[in-house]
Amino acid sequence: MSLQNTNITSKKYKKLSIQVSLTGLSFCCFDTLNNTITSLKEIQFDPFHKATKIEELFGDAFKNNPELKDTYDEVLVIHNNNLSTFVPTPLFDEDYLGSYLQYNTKVFETDFFAYDQISNYHMNSVYIPYVNINNFFIDQFGTFDYKHANSILVEKILDASRNHDEKKMVINFNPGHFEIIIVQNQKLLLFNSFEYQTPEDFIYYILFTAEQLNLNPEIFPLELLGTIDENDPFYAIAYKYIRYISFMNVDTLQQRNSFSTAQNQKHYILFQS
């Protein structure tokens, strides 16, 4: 679905991107004329309100944040969950979306499947969006575009790997799950999402994945994104076992906004949308 405004006199030169999950949402506003990010807001839902319908929590967010009810030329909704996978274009068939996901997540006949084309890299991102959240946004905006967070993430990481011949592991850390992406000079070698509870879970999946691709923890570089920082026990355990660990360089992205390095790493997908 797309929101289009072809009347140039009524263009606002403003775009709204909203990243959504079951635990909250974050959104930012873009000045499309100057290619800058003008505002950012993050809203975490109270975990003790699990009985409340997710639509009601989003409704409260809209009531309390007038920026969400402003007028925009474009609205993009980004679904952030671990219900996605990547399929090379030659193996892709739009009629069998659910079959691609059944190997790494539990799927049901009633699930709605969607996909994003990543034409530059001849593949598609297949995923299960939050249908109830999409329906809420239809009521708010009428029409809008939506994508999966991992579609944006993987495409940008592949872009950044150009002319880098060494294999690199990137981890995007989220509450409850994290993604491992391994790239080499614009080739996607591996993508997987893991649920975790403890730092030991975290390092186990990193080292297991590295072993499968014959990556030596003394040699390969590991870059971190998302909701992780140097004071995090998850960072501490990775630092213990991986020699070359760092946070992804976001200097170029920061040129488009006034937010801190940590915020650019945490909201990398949102800011790249």
Side-chain angles (χ1 to χ4, degrees), residues 119-163:
S119 53
N120 287 348
Y121 297 104
H122 308 290
M123 62 183 180
N124 295 275
S125 168
V126 180
Y127 59 97
I128 301 175
Y130 297 116
V131 174
N132 53 342
I133 296 177
N134 270 355
N135 289 339
F136 172 84
F137 285 124
I138 288 173
D139 292 337
Q140 301 299 320
F141 300 118
T143 55
F144 56 91
D145 291 330
Y146 66 88
K147 282 185 176 183
H148 198 276
N150 292 334
S151 305
I152 300 168
L153 174 68
V154 168
E155 184 170 20
K156 293 304 180 183
I157 289 173
L158 285 168
D159 288 347
S161 73
R162 184 178 183 181
N163 297 326

Side-chain angles (χ1 to χ4, degrees), residues 33-45:
L33 196 61
N34 298 300
N35 192 31
T36 57
I37 300 165
T38 57
S39 64
L40 167 70
K41 183 70 178 289
E42 184 176 10
I43 301 165
Q44 293 294 326
F45 298 147

Side-chain angles (χ1 to χ4, degrees), residues 9-254:
T9 60
S10 63
K11 280 185 73 70
K12 304 292 184 181
Y13 298 100
K14 288 165 49 174
K15 174 183 173 181
L16 174 67
S17 287
I18 311 173
Q19 186 164 319
V20 301
S21 73
L22 297 180
T23 59
L25 70 147
S26 54
F27 64 88
C28 68
C29 302
F30 295 85
D31 176 344
T32 57
L33 196 61
N34 298 300
N35 192 31
T36 57
I37 300 165
T38 57
S39 64
L40 167 70
K41 183 70 178 289
E42 184 176 10
I43 301 165
Q44 293 294 326
F45 298 147
D46 187 338
F48 297 106
H49 283 78
K50 289 183 178 179
T52 304
K53 287 186 177 180
I54 192 73
E55 297 93 327
E56 294 178 16
L57 296 172
F58 275 86
D60 290 341
F62 269 69
K63 290 176 186 175
N64 298 326
N65 294 274
E67 306 100 308
L68 290 170
K69 300 182 77 69
D70 205 347
T71 303
Y72 298 92
D73 302 317
E74 300 174 66
V75 176
L76 176 66
V77 176
I78 305 163
H79 293 263
N80 183 18
N81 59 32
N82 60 345
L83 308 175
S84 73
T85 192
F86 291 87
V87 182
T89 300
L91 303 178
F92 179 75
D93 188 329
E94 188 177 348
D95 294 328
Y96 297 95
L97 298 182
S99 65
Y100 302 119
L101 284 166
Q102 66 183 356
Y103 299 106
N104 59 3
T105 190
K106 185 180 290 186
V107 298
F108 301 94
E109 289 185 5
T110 54
D111 284 334
F112 175 78
F113 304 103
Y115 70 95
D116 300 328
Q117 289 184 320
I118 307 177
S119 53
N120 287 348
Y121 297 104
H122 308 290
M123 62 183 180
N124 295 275
S125 168
V126 180
Y127 59 97
I128 301 175
Y130 297 116
V131 174
N132 53 342
I133 296 177
N134 270 355
N135 289 339
F136 172 84
F137 285 124
I138 288 173
D139 292 337
Q140 301 299 320
F141 300 118
T143 55
F144 56 91
D145 291 330
Y146 66 88
K147 282 185 176 183
H148 198 276
N150 292 334
S151 305
I152 300 168
L153 174 68
V154 168
E155 184 170 20
K156 293 304 180 183
I157 289 173
L158 285 168
D159 288 347
S161 73
R162 184 178 183 181
N163 297 326
H164 293 280
D165 289 327
E166 67 177 343
K167 295 177 183 177
K168 177 174 72 174
M169 180 185 291
V170 178
I171 289 179
N172 182 51
F173 194 84
N174 295 278
H177 67 93
F178 65 93
E179 286 68 51
I180 294 181
I181 306 100
I182 299 178
V183 296
Q184 181 182 30
N185 197 3
Q186 296 190 291
K187 292 181 181 179
L188 179 62
L189 304 182
L190 180 140
F191 170 88
N192 210 341
S193 183
F194 301 93
E195 295 182 352
Y196 69 87
Q197 292 183 328
T198 67
E200 288 72 24
D201 295 337
F202 182 55
I203 193 61
Y204 170 80
Y205 288 125
I206 293 173
L207 295 177
F208 177 79
T209 301
E211 183 181 19
Q212 300 309 301
L213 273 75
N214 297 314
L215 296 177
N216 186 339
E218 293 288 321
I219 296 174
F220 78 86
L222 169 61
E223 294 185 0
L224 300 172
L225 280 171
T227 58
I228 188 170
D229 59 42
E230 289 184 346
N231 299 316
D232 199 310
F234 292 91
Y235 175 85
I237 200 167
Y239 185 84
K240 179 179 178 180
Y241 287 95
I242 307 295
R243 179 177 290 273
Y244 299 105
I245 182 171
S246 63
F247 292 92
M248 180 171 283
N249 187 313
V250 290
D251 289 349
T252 302
L253 183 58
Q254 260 186 293

